[in-house]
Structure formats: C-alpha cells, structure tokens
Amino acid sequence: MQANDEIPGGSPVRDGSDVNGQTVPVLKVESVAKSFGGVRALRNGRLTLRSGTVHALCGGNGAGKSTFLSILMGLIPRDEGRISLKGVDVHFASASEALRHGVAMITQELSPVPELTVAENIYLGREPRKFGYIVDFGRMVEDAAALLKRLQFDVPADAKMSEITLAQCQLVEIAKALSHEADVVIMDEPTSAIGEHEVHVLFDAVKRLKQSGTAIVYVSHKLTEIFEIADEYTVFRDGAFVETGRICDIDRHHLVRQILGHELNSSTLGESTAGADVALAVDSLSDGETFSDITLQVKTGEVLGIYGLVGSGRTEFVETVFGLRRARSGSIKFLGEALPAGVPKESIRRGMAMVTEDRKVSGLVLCESVGHNISLSALRKVSPWGFIRAKAESGIVAAMVSKLRVKCASPAIAVENLSGGNQQKVVFARCLTTNPKLLICDEPTRGIDEGSKQEIYAFLRDFAAKGGSALVVSSEAPEIPQVSDRVAIFRGGRLARVLGTGEISQEAIVNLAS
C-alpha cells in the first residue's frame, strides 16, 4: 500500500473541478502539525475526503486523531499545514465557523441538556421563531419529528432528554449534527453508547447521506464497523500519517498491523477447566424486571463471556451478582458460600471486583490523580489509623502502573488527561489492589484502541491462568471468542444457551442472541 494520499484505482467522485478540469476533493488536509509545550502531538496530518464516501480515520490512543479533528473543527489552531474545503483554503477559528462552512462533528462525549426536549436539544441556539423573536415550539417539534423520521431514528421529538435511553441520546446527537445539512460530517465513536439495532439504523442513515453526496469522516476503534461502512481509510500512528487507501484493498490483519506498527501477537485461551472447582454459582436468579431464572457457573481459571443485545439483561445481571442491585429471587454462591443480596461491600470483602460499563461515570474520579484512583479500593491497607501512609500508597501505585503498563508522565497527573485505554488500565489496577479472585468486567474494552484491547485480553487470560476467574460482558461479537473459554448468551432477559469452547463462533453468538 502506498503511503500517500492518492486512492489507487476506481472512478473518482465528482466533488468539483479546478481550472484544469481535475477532481477537487471536498476536504483536503496536508502536512498539519501541532505541538503543546514543546511536545509534538501531531506531525504530517493528512487526509483526502471525497463527496459521497465514508472515510475511516484509524489509529490507537495517542495516534493524534483527536488533535487532528480538533484542528479541523477550529477548536485548536494548527502550527503548520494547509486545509482546503472544495479547493479553497480555510482556517477555522471556532467550531461555529466550521459549521457555517458546512463541517459538522458528532463527538464521542454526549452533551445533552437533560431538562429540555429532544427538539429543543436538536435546534438549541437556532430555534425557529415567530415574528423574529418568539420561539415557535410547535414548528420546532414538527421539524425535529420530520428529521428523526427521515433518519428512521425511533425517538419522540417532544420527550425530555432525561426521559429517553442513552442509546436514544446518542441518536439525538447524531440528528443534531445532521440537521445542519453539512457537506462534511465527522463521526467520532458514534456507536460507543448504542446497541446493535441502533447501529444498523445509524448505518442505514449513513448510506443515505452518502447517496446525497455528504462526505463522512468515521472514527471508531471497532474494526468490524470500519470494514462494514467505510469506503476509504487513513491510518495515524504516534502523531503522524502512516497510510491511506481503499478498504476493499486490505484486510483486518493489514489494518491492525498498520495501527499497531507491528505484527499482532496472538495468544491462546487457557487450558480446559472441565475439572476445576466452581468459583461462582448462580441459581435461578431473577430481579423481577430485566432478567429472570438465570442459572450458570464460573469455574476457577475460567473466563466466562456474556453476550446479548441491548435490553437482554446482561448488565443488570452482573450488577446483581456483584450486589449493586438486589435480586427478587434465586441465590448466589461464591467460593462455596452464600452471598448476601445487594451488599457490594461484602462481595469485595470476599474477593470480587467489578469493572463497570462506563469508566468515566462509575469507574474513575476524573479530577483526581492516577495514583489516588488506583489506591482508592486499598485505602484500608494504606491508612490503618485513618491517615494515608504516602510511602505505602506510592508503593502499591508504582507496582500497579508497572503491572498494567499504564502510560502516564507521572501518577500525580489527573486521570482525565490519560487516553481511554490507559484510563481503563487504571480501573483494572484499582480492582487488583483488593487481590480479587473473581473479576466482573462489563464492556471492559469499550472506546479503547486495538492495542489496548489486546493488552486487556492478555491480562484477563493471564489472570485466569493464575487461578482467578472472570465474568466478561461484551456487546462486540468478534471480541467474545477472543477472550472467552465459554459464552453465556442472553436474550430477552433469559439465558438462551451456554456455548462450550468448541462451539464458540461469531455467527453462533449473533444468531442465538437475535
């Protein structure tokens, strides 16, 4: 593959023509660079975007993608380089200026106004008005409803944002960006908070946008999505452009190698656990609302995967096992002893730890340091008389930073300044300070790059190989076979089937969950 910005082969899309009749891309970025405090965050950032295409921007955490997109949207100034829109050089000073020129962005972090309606959120700051100054709420709801219907997003326009689901909030953010009728739409991890049904709805909307001539920059750590939706791709690594080309010319292995900069080290699952002791035994567990009559076991040295669509009860089940929710009926035994319902403190004391679904909401104290986040679950160890012993705390932190290979300038920096992959490693490090025998992981690789995913897979397998057990929930069908010894399939709040090692395949998992 050529390391340049010319897409080999195929018929060019007519974005526009210059004076010589040559095709002009809708967006062309050349040699963009940015430094922060003398540290080079981006060098030689390049991208050629054509009308009516989806262009995947790929790279691990720290590759420079966020800096590149922030420059495109005018959120931060560039130090060097050139950006042209339909052949005309541009230099946006703000996101609103970029939007006025037809460049819109859907960010990974949702920012709804909870007490306003869906329609008010979509048209916030540009509400239709009567007589030039009175907000026309009726028309606004009608316009929003028409937009949502056109996109085939099942979201009520007059509902408050606080009343709809997280997946619906993500669809509203997408609709808000698309309501600007932009020529260029940047989608940064648009599926991170939605289920498979909503992903299909989104992809259908993206295909319709392509047909209308809209150009889309698509950022996702989910490689399966990239190969399904993208036409072209560009890879960044270590803050620099690496390669570009057509998706149809490469395979997953090639893309992973370019993202990581080396061959992927494949590792195998652990030995059979057929004769192993039972670490966790759940019998006829129900919460009366989201799941019922779940019976399964996790053995010592085993990674048991749980797969199910949104609404299948998978998250509610593991939260109940850990004690965050109270069961209506059934029993839980851990290491042979009954576990009291709804008491997470007791679960931790007996040797459980949980990596929650959303690290930023329930896994980390973002404004606190990396060190304080890691030692949070081990405060009793480092403060026997109520005062934290700094030396003991720093020893635990240093050991965990090394063990999990957390990349940070210092444990004293705020954890919010780390990449998503390193933030997730901090969550795992905090869990390990309690010396758990069972790790419950809900979406442990959500929103992190391929390299960090593989490190977490390897860690979980190593944890099991050393006598621990893990219960891993994932909504990514390609991920489950990589990490699981057995897989429990949830469907409609019930356990559909448990697949053994020889039965696990992506096709089987998806079919049973649907």
Side-chain angles (χ1 to χ4, degrees):
M1 188 62 59
Q2 306 261 333
N4 55 49
D5 57 7
E6 296 302 321
I7 307 299
S11 301
V13 178
R14 284 293 167 186
D15 294 28
S17 298
D18 62 16
V19 292
N20 298 315
Q22 300 296 313
T23 300
V24 177
V26 65
L27 178 70
K28 191 175 181 70
V29 184
E30 301 172 280
S31 304
V32 166
K34 180 65 181 179
S35 296
F36 296 98
V39 178
R40 197 79 149 174
L42 180 67
R43 62 187 189 283
N44 192 28
R46 301 163 63 184
L47 182 80
T48 299
L49 182 64
R50 308 169 198 280
S51 292
T53 64
V54 176
H55 196 117
L57 180 59
C58 309
N61 290 318
K65 303 189 305 296
S66 296
T67 301
F68 182 78
L69 296 179
S70 294
I71 290 171
L72 280 186
M73 288 303 299
L75 299 175
I76 57 175
R78 60 185 184 266
D79 297 336
E80 304 171 17
R82 176 178 175 237
I83 301 175
S84 61
L85 193 63
K86 296 181 180 179
V88 178
D89 285 0
V90 293
H91 195 134
F92 302 138
S94 65
S96 60
E97 186 178 350
L99 199 55
R100 287 196 299 272
H101 283 78
V103 181
M105 183 172 178
I106 302 162
T107 60
Q108 183 178 358
E109 304 299 334
L110 303 182
S111 54
V113 182
E115 292 308 307
L116 295 185
T117 66
V118 168
E120 289 168 331
N121 271 266
I122 290 175
Y123 293 106
L124 189 62
R126 52 197 178 96
E127 300 86 352
R129 297 180 181 274
K130 298 176 181 178
F131 314 114
Y133 59 92
I134 300 175
V135 175
D136 190 340
F137 288 100
R139 180 186 162 193
M140 183 164 54
V141 171
E142 289 177 5
D143 289 350
L147 172 65
L148 293 165
K149 183 178 180 180
R150 176 159 54 89
L151 294 172
Q152 297 181 15
F153 290 175
D154 185 18
V155 186
D158 56 353
K160 284 187 177 182
M161 294 296 290
S162 58
E163 298 171 348
I164 63 177
T165 67
L166 182 62
Q168 288 177 314
C169 285
Q170 179 71 77
L171 295 179
V172 172
E173 288 291 308
I174 293 167
K176 181 177 180 179
L178 299 184
S179 70
H180 291 274
E181 305 293 340
D183 297 313
V184 175
V185 176
I186 300 168
M187 297 185 173
D188 187 7
E189 297 286 353
T191 65
S192 62
I194 62 179
E196 289 194 18
H197 172 71
E198 289 84 3
V199 170
H200 290 306
V201 171
L202 171 62
F203 283 3
D204 287 341
V206 168
K207 290 169 185 175
R208 290 193 296 274
L209 285 172
K210 282 174 56 178
Q211 292 172 355
S212 69
T214 302
I216 297 166
V217 178
Y218 193 88
V219 181
S220 178
H221 291 309
K222 300 178 181 179
L223 302 189
T224 302
E225 291 183 0
I226 288 173
F227 280 94
E228 179 177 348
I229 198 66
D231 303 296
E232 301 168 1
Y233 73 97
T234 291
V235 176
F236 282 11
R237 186 173 67 243
D238 298 328
F241 169 87
V242 173
E243 175 179 284
T244 195
R246 297 185 304 181
I247 283 290
C248 63
D249 292 334
I250 64 170
D251 58 17
R252 184 187 181 100
H253 180 80
H254 175 90
L255 186 57
V256 170
R257 187 170 68 246
Q258 297 307 310
I259 291 172
L260 298 180
H262 56 77
E263 292 289 342
L264 182 62
N265 295 321
S266 59
S267 56
T268 58
L269 295 175
E271 299 295 324
S272 172
T273 57
D277 294 334
V278 174
L280 176 72
V282 178
D283 185 30
S284 303
L285 197 68
S286 303
D287 71 347
E289 296 178 2
T290 59
F291 67 89
S292 61
D293 199 28
I294 305 296
T295 297
L296 55 77
Q297 296 179 342
V298 184
K299 298 179 181 180
T300 300
E302 177 182 47
V303 178
L304 178 67
I306 294 182
Y307 180 82
L309 305 180
V310 171
S312 64
R314 61 196 187 188
T315 291
E316 292 82 0
F317 170 74
V318 294
E319 288 181 346
T320 303
V321 169
F322 188 64
L324 295 176
R325 293 170 176 262
R326 183 176 290 274
R328 181 73 61 84
S329 61
S331 64
I332 304 168
K333 284 187 177 181
F334 181 52
L335 301 178
E337 296 183 2
L339 196 67
V343 189
K345 182 179 179 180
E346 184 64 17
S347 299
I348 295 170
R349 190 187 71 79
R350 296 197 189 186
M352 285 189 187
M354 184 169 182
V355 177
T356 55
E357 183 177 14
D358 192 331
R359 60 181 172 269
K360 293 189 176 181
V361 172
S362 55
L364 297 167
V365 183
L366 292 173
C367 60
E368 282 290 347
S369 69
V370 170
H372 286 168
N373 272 274
I374 290 175
S375 65
L376 196 58
S377 295
L379 288 180
R380 287 185 180 274
K381 292 182 181 180
V382 300
S383 56
W385 304 105
F387 296 95
I388 294 175
R389 292 183 293 145
K391 187 175 181 179
E393 181 186 28
S394 62
I396 289 175
V397 170
M400 288 300 169
V401 167
S402 175
K403 182 180 178 68
L404 274 298
R405 294 195 285 184
V406 180
K407 295 179 182 178
C408 59
S410 164
I413 68 171
V415 74
E416 63 187 348
N417 294 323
L418 300 188
S419 66
N422 283 297
Q423 286 182 350
Q424 193 71 336
K425 290 179 186 179
V426 170
V427 176
F428 272 94
R430 175 179 55 74
C431 289
L432 290 182
T433 61
T434 63
N435 297 315
K437 298 177 180 67
L438 172 68
L439 267 177
I440 300 175
C441 305
D442 192 359
E443 299 286 3
T445 65
R446 172 172 285 172
I448 65 176
D449 65 277
E450 189 68 23
S452 295
K453 283 183 180 182
Q454 294 299 328
E455 287 185 276
I456 286 176
Y457 299 158
F459 163 75
L460 288 170
R461 288 191 288 267
D462 181 65
F463 180 79
K466 291 178 179 177
S469 304
L471 193 58
V472 179
V473 175
S474 177
S475 59
E476 295 189 43
E479 175 173 272
I480 283 287
Q482 292 190 59
V483 73
S484 307
D485 296 298
R486 293 185 300 137
V487 179
I489 309 297
F490 277 43
R491 184 178 65 231
R494 291 185 174 271
L495 181 61
R497 186 175 169 186
V498 178
L499 298 176
T501 303
E503 303 173 297
I504 300 172
S505 70
Q506 185 176 336
E507 292 75 17
I509 289 168
V510 172
N511 288 338
L512 287 167
S514 302

